[in-house]
Amino acid sequence: MMLKNNEIPLEKYRNIGIIAHIDAGKTTTTEQILFHTGKTHRIGSVDDGTTVTDWMEQERERGITIVSAAVTAFWKDHHINLIDTPGHIDFTAEVQRSLRVLDGGIVVFDAVKGVEPQSETVWRQANRYSVPRICFVNKMDRVGASFDRTMESIRERLGANPIAVQVPIGEEEKFEGVVDLFEMKAFIWSDDKDGIPKEADIPADVRSYAEETRLTMVESIAELDDDLTVKYLEGEEITIEELKNSIRNAIISDKATAVYCGSSIRNRGVQPLLDAIIDFLPSPLEVPSVIGIHPKDDSEIIRNPDPEEPLSALVFKVVADPYVGRLSYFRVYSGRIKTGTYIYNPKVRKKERIGRMVRMYADHRADIEEISAGDIGAVLGLKNTFTGDTLCSEGKPIILETITFPDPVLSIAVEPKTTSDQDKMAIALKKLAEEDPTFQVRTDSETGQTLISGMGELHLEILIDRMMREFKVQANIGNPRVSYRETISENVEKHDFRYVKQTGGRGQYAHVVFTLEKGEYGSGITFEDNTSGGAIPREFIPSISKGVMNAAEAGTIGGYPLIDINVSLVDGSYHEVDSSKMAFQLAGSMAFRDAVKLGKPIILEPIMKVEIEVPEENLGDVVGQVNGRRGEILGMEIRPGKAQAINAAVPLAEMFGYATELRSVSHGRGSFSMEFDHYSEVPEKIRAAF
């Protein structure tokens, strides 16, 4: 095996992300990992704003993670690239792009609340990218903490196969350590700052619980391995090494997940978690080889994690730094990147020079000369490369699967306070949009206003705050506006449209016949050519499609984008002299708009999945609030501490200002989280206002 420039072989690399619901303890867990791996000499506090990975002013002020931060650490001769991701749904893109390039994940759960809404979201995202993961049940020292209840919620709400490999010694304020079920040894932590556990005998009051859970663990692991199943059924002893190998294979193949527990804030349980990263999560050599396509013929190309293969790397994050310029984070899948060399971006067909490469440590950087297959780094100064772009060798081009992001659901208008702010605002918004794929900037053609769109109120609030602080822009901010959509409610059969224009010289002629069908939810606008017999020459078809897509950007009722319509070109005709690409593009656009009007268009509004946690005595008031906001109660569940969790579907338009109303009715004890779920038709009485 060829060694890296720091002499650590590739099988000892781990590219890991920490993911969870907001306030489950991701950043505190990351701080503990950095402390125990020797990267820091004191443990930072989220509350005090002294953590390494929450380095932005906005993060420290709010006590939340906003951007994913990459750090590098070393544990037992292994190199760990660790990414701490946000938990708030408004910053889901940060989680998505991190998971795209990671080989494994640690999912942190609050032992009191169990699986929360964003836990489900990040779990689904990890499923999408087939990311192997282990679970860490945090906050075992909190009132209401329950390891068994959290295990059950992982099984029921996530459909996962959790296998407890530890059990806690005590819960709530009595939590003091864990029992390792492989070795059947107890590890007890004191309140010493070094956080080093002491090995001890299993306490008598925990022994039967530990033995019973170990039997369940052995049985669950044996079920995942045919050889172990035979040994188990025949009553043979299964060794610790066999158990560990079997569960490792199951985790990497996404058939199970190992569950650990602890309390990060009290420095308990983190060292076993670090051991689990090494023992159970894959190296770059153990994940499937990356598959891409050739930019010219779309043929499939496979690249293995080998420094000697041609270069393939994916840019997964771009940061607009006001001081050093654009910083591009990338994961190298094959080959190597060296400073002073040129790489090729096949998307824009341009070469880029690698001037300065760095290994990231949150907002600090260490210069490096080379990054090889399986590693993560960043480069300064790439001009034409953005999130989702591939970097490769010009002679061996490849395009890797890009990263897809959800559409923004909320818009607000911004305008510069002074003329001098105008240019600065344009530059700032452009840089922020380059950095964040879920942030969009456009100009309203009717009002001339600049509209910015994002994933929620907090998302836009943070971006505006950054614009004002980092780029020194003074601006006036409008009220939030919901990003509605339009679609058809009825199919349209064979809408015939001719575009004919005579100007004395050469005329313009295009004739198209469209059929429109209601598409499946999330299908967008699809265009299909179903003409036959050369009714329209092949060279005009892309122009018709372009016309349709352009027209779909604004609907016929309120000017909102059209979605979920299948457009079929079924017939048409052309003129030998007067037909042109432009004529067919105009015909496609006008015919589509006319056909949409015949399809009885409707307006769709974003519906949010909302979870509200309130004290039991406020339940009735909160249910009334939800009903008054056109919400639908989907279910309720009891939470520790005489609390109730209400799951509901509520239109986004009705959620503005809800935080204040909830705080008022619950005397500050209620909380809620929400995420986009789907689009639904606006009721007739509401639509009358459009």
Side-chain angles (χ1 to χ4, degrees):
M1 167 58 63
M2 184 167 183
L3 299 183
K4 295 295 188 89
N5 52 354
N6 58 3
E7 299 300 309
I8 293 180
L10 197 51
E11 60 262 25
K12 291 193 173 184
Y13 267 67
R14 299 290 185 272
N15 295 311
I16 305 302
I18 297 191
I19 56 179
H21 186 91
I22 190 169
D23 203 32
K26 298 178 303 302
T27 300
T28 304
T29 303
T30 304
E31 283 294 315
Q32 294 288 354
I33 288 172
L34 294 177
F35 176 74
H36 289 295
T37 56
K39 296 300 291 186
T40 57
H41 301 292
R42 61 183 293 276
I43 297 169
S45 164
V46 171
D47 294 334
D48 296 339
T50 56
T51 58
V52 171
T53 52
D54 283 354
W55 54 270
M56 287 174 62
E57 288 180 39
Q58 293 86 350
E59 292 177 311
R60 291 181 169 175
E61 287 170 359
R62 290 168 172 81
I64 61 170
T65 302
I66 293 169
V67 296
S68 52
V71 292
T72 302
F74 299 88
W75 181 254
K76 295 186 176 179
D77 298 325
H78 284 68
H79 177 127
I80 301 172
N81 289 318
L82 186 70
I83 296 183
D84 175 27
T85 65
H88 197 288
I89 187 63
D90 282 15
F91 309 105
T92 185
E94 288 288 330
V95 184
Q96 203 150 317
R97 58 181 167 191
S98 299
L99 285 171
R100 171 66 175 81
V101 297
L102 293 172
D103 300 328
I106 301 169
V107 189
V108 182
F109 297 95
D110 185 323
V112 180
K113 298 179 179 178
V115 174
E116 299 176 86
Q118 184 65 0
S119 310
E120 295 182 61
T121 302
V122 297
W123 194 271
R124 286 196 306 269
Q125 289 173 328
N127 283 341
R128 178 183 174 190
Y129 293 115
S130 301
V131 177
R133 66 222 86 136
I134 53 179
C135 299
F136 182 62
V137 180
N138 191 25
K139 302 189 179 184
M140 286 299 305
D141 59 323
R142 294 286 181 91
V143 175
S146 170
F147 181 71
D148 290 340
R149 189 178 62 242
T150 304
M151 281 281 293
E152 192 58 33
S153 70
I154 293 171
R155 186 176 293 108
E156 287 185 358
R157 294 187 64 172
L158 302 179
N161 180 20
I163 299 175
V165 296
Q166 288 180 343
V167 292
I169 299 173
E171 286 182 345
E172 300 184 342
E173 72 276 2
K174 295 180 180 177
F175 174 70
E176 59 178 358
V178 300
V179 176
D180 180 333
L181 298 181
F182 290 112
E183 306 277 355
M184 286 302 282
K185 292 178 181 176
F187 293 92
I188 309 293
W189 280 268
S190 65
D191 287 324
D192 293 343
K193 287 184 179 179
D194 61 13
I196 297 173
K198 292 181 174 58
E199 190 177 318
D201 292 331
I202 299 173
D205 59 336
V206 181
R207 176 162 287 280
S208 62
Y209 171 48
E211 288 173 348
E212 183 183 324
T213 310
R214 189 181 197 276
L215 283 173
T216 303
M217 179 191 80
V218 173
E219 184 179 332
S220 299
I221 295 174
E223 286 177 357
L224 301 167
D225 186 305
D226 291 343
D227 292 337
L228 292 191
T229 301
V230 173
K231 290 187 76 171
Y232 180 78
L233 293 174
E234 292 179 355
E236 294 182 37
E237 183 68 26
I238 300 175
T239 66
I240 293 170
E241 186 179 359
E242 287 175 325
L243 288 170
K244 287 189 171 183
N245 285 338
S246 180
I247 196 170
R248 185 176 205 275
N249 292 334
I251 290 169
I252 291 175
S253 59
D254 204 20
K255 293 178 181 175
T257 180
V259 184
Y260 289 75
C261 63
S263 170
S264 294
I265 201 163
R266 291 181 66 186
N267 204 358
R268 297 179 179 182
V270 176
Q271 297 95 329
L273 188 64
L274 274 164
D275 290 339
I277 292 172
I278 304 307
D279 293 342
F280 299 138
L281 292 177
S283 75
L285 294 171
E286 294 170 299
V287 296
S289 298
V290 70
I291 299 173
I293 59 169
H294 196 285
K296 289 185 178 176
D297 58 16
D298 288 347
S299 58
E300 191 176 281
I301 303 170
I302 297 175
R303 292 277 166 84
N304 300 307
D306 185 342
E308 302 307 318
E309 287 214 1
L311 171 66
S312 65
L314 184 75
V315 174
F316 66 94
K317 181 179 169 75
V318 174
V319 176
D321 190 306
Y323 303 105
V324 297
R326 187 184 294 154
L327 183 68
S328 305
Y329 290 74
F330 59 86
R331 160 76 187 264
V332 181
Y333 287 97
S334 63
R336 51 167 61 93
I337 297 180
K338 295 182 180 179
T339 56
T341 61
Y342 284 88
I343 50 89
Y344 181 65
N345 182 337
K347 182 180 176 182
V348 295
R349 300 179 184 177
K350 289 185 178 179
K351 289 196 294 184
E352 299 255 33
R353 186 177 184 275
I354 302 295
R356 181 186 172 198
M357 278 197 307
V358 292
R359 192 176 295 289
M360 296 305 299
Y361 183 57
D363 60 333
H364 302 296
R365 309 173 187 91
D367 288 310
I368 48 174
E369 294 295 316
E370 177 184 311
I371 294 182
S372 297
D375 205 352
I376 291 173
V379 59
L380 288 157
L382 298 185
K383 294 184 176 69
N384 303 300
T385 300
F386 301 97
T387 299
D389 287 0
T390 301
L391 303 177
C392 60
S393 308
E394 188 173 12
K396 299 277 188 177
I398 184 174
I399 295 179
L400 303 178
E401 180 189 354
T402 190
I403 310 170
T404 55
F405 297 101
D407 292 329
V409 296
L410 195 66
S411 301
I412 57 174
V414 294
E415 60 179 31
K417 281 190 175 179
T418 66
T419 308
S420 62
D421 286 315
Q422 192 157 353
D423 290 340
K424 285 197 294 183
M425 188 177 87
I427 292 168
L429 292 177
K430 181 174 182 289
K431 288 186 175 179
L432 290 171
E434 288 174 356
E435 184 178 317
D436 186 346
T438 59
F439 175 58
Q440 294 179 4
V441 183
R442 64 185 177 88
T443 303
D444 190 308
S445 57
E446 293 181 7
T447 64
Q449 286 182 309
T450 299
L451 297 176
I452 59 174
S453 305
M455 300 305 296
E457 288 181 278
L458 180 62
H459 185 206
L460 292 176
E461 180 188 325
I462 296 294
L463 287 164
I464 290 165
D465 193 32
R466 289 188 59 196
M467 179 180 77
M468 292 178 171
R469 288 196 200 186
E470 294 176 24
F471 298 95
K472 314 298 183 197
V473 176
Q474 294 302 310
N476 295 316
I477 311 302
N479 292 323
R481 301 199 315 184
V482 175
S483 293
Y484 293 97
R485 296 289 186 267
E486 296 183 25
T487 192
I488 56 173
S489 59
E490 293 183 0
N491 294 341
V492 179
E493 290 293 331
K494 294 189 177 179
H495 175 62
D496 195 304
F497 183 88
R498 292 176 194 270
Y499 176 69
V500 183
K501 192 173 183 181
Q502 295 296 334
T503 56
R506 179 179 171 179
Q508 294 286 340
Y509 178 87
H511 173 215
V512 296
V513 181
F514 281 164
T515 291
L516 268 55
E517 293 181 349
K518 293 184 290 183
E520 288 185 13
Y521 174 72
S523 62
I525 303 293
T526 62
F527 176 84
E528 192 174 353
D529 173 26
N530 287 317
T531 57
S532 58
I536 300 174
R538 297 293 94 197
E539 65 264 27
F540 295 139
I541 302 299
S543 299
I544 300 170
S545 175
K546 185 178 180 182
V548 168
M549 297 305 170
N550 288 344
E553 292 177 5
T556 60
I557 305 174
Y560 303 110
L562 288 151
I563 60 170
D564 303 341
I565 302 174
N566 299 327
V567 185
S568 176
L569 176 65
V570 295
D571 203 358
S573 63
Y574 71 102
H575 189 278
E576 288 284 356
V577 177
D578 292 347
S579 289
S580 66
K581 290 182 179 179
M582 182 53 69
F584 272 102
Q585 183 175 326
L586 288 168
S589 176
M590 296 162 77
F592 177 67
R593 287 184 65 83
D594 286 353
V596 166
K597 291 175 184 176
L598 297 173
K600 294 188 178 177
I602 55 174
I603 292 180
L604 305 174
E605 63 180 342
I607 305 296
M608 311 303 285
K609 185 167 71 174
V610 182
E611 181 175 279
I612 309 164
E613 189 170 312
V614 291
E616 222 168 56
E617 61 263 30
N618 303 125
L619 184 63
D621 291 333
V622 173
V623 168
Q625 285 180 345
V626 172
N627 290 332
R629 291 173 179 265
R630 296 196 286 125
E632 178 188 355
I633 305 293
L634 303 177
M636 298 184 197
E637 58 183 82
I638 298 170
R639 289 281 167 86
K642 294 184 177 179
Q644 289 272 358
I646 303 166
N647 293 298
V650 189
L652 175 60
E654 302 289 344
M655 289 302 294
F656 298 133
Y658 181 61
T660 304
E661 190 178 322
L662 178 63
R663 278 196 297 269
S664 175
V665 78
S666 65
H667 307 289
R669 296 163 65 198
S671 63
F672 80 98
S673 62
M674 68 176 183
E675 60 179 301
F676 170 73
D677 192 58
H678 66 281
Y679 277 98
S680 180
E681 183 178 353
V682 173
E684 189 63 39
K685 62 180 180 180
I686 305 293
R687 179 179 158 179
F690 285 87

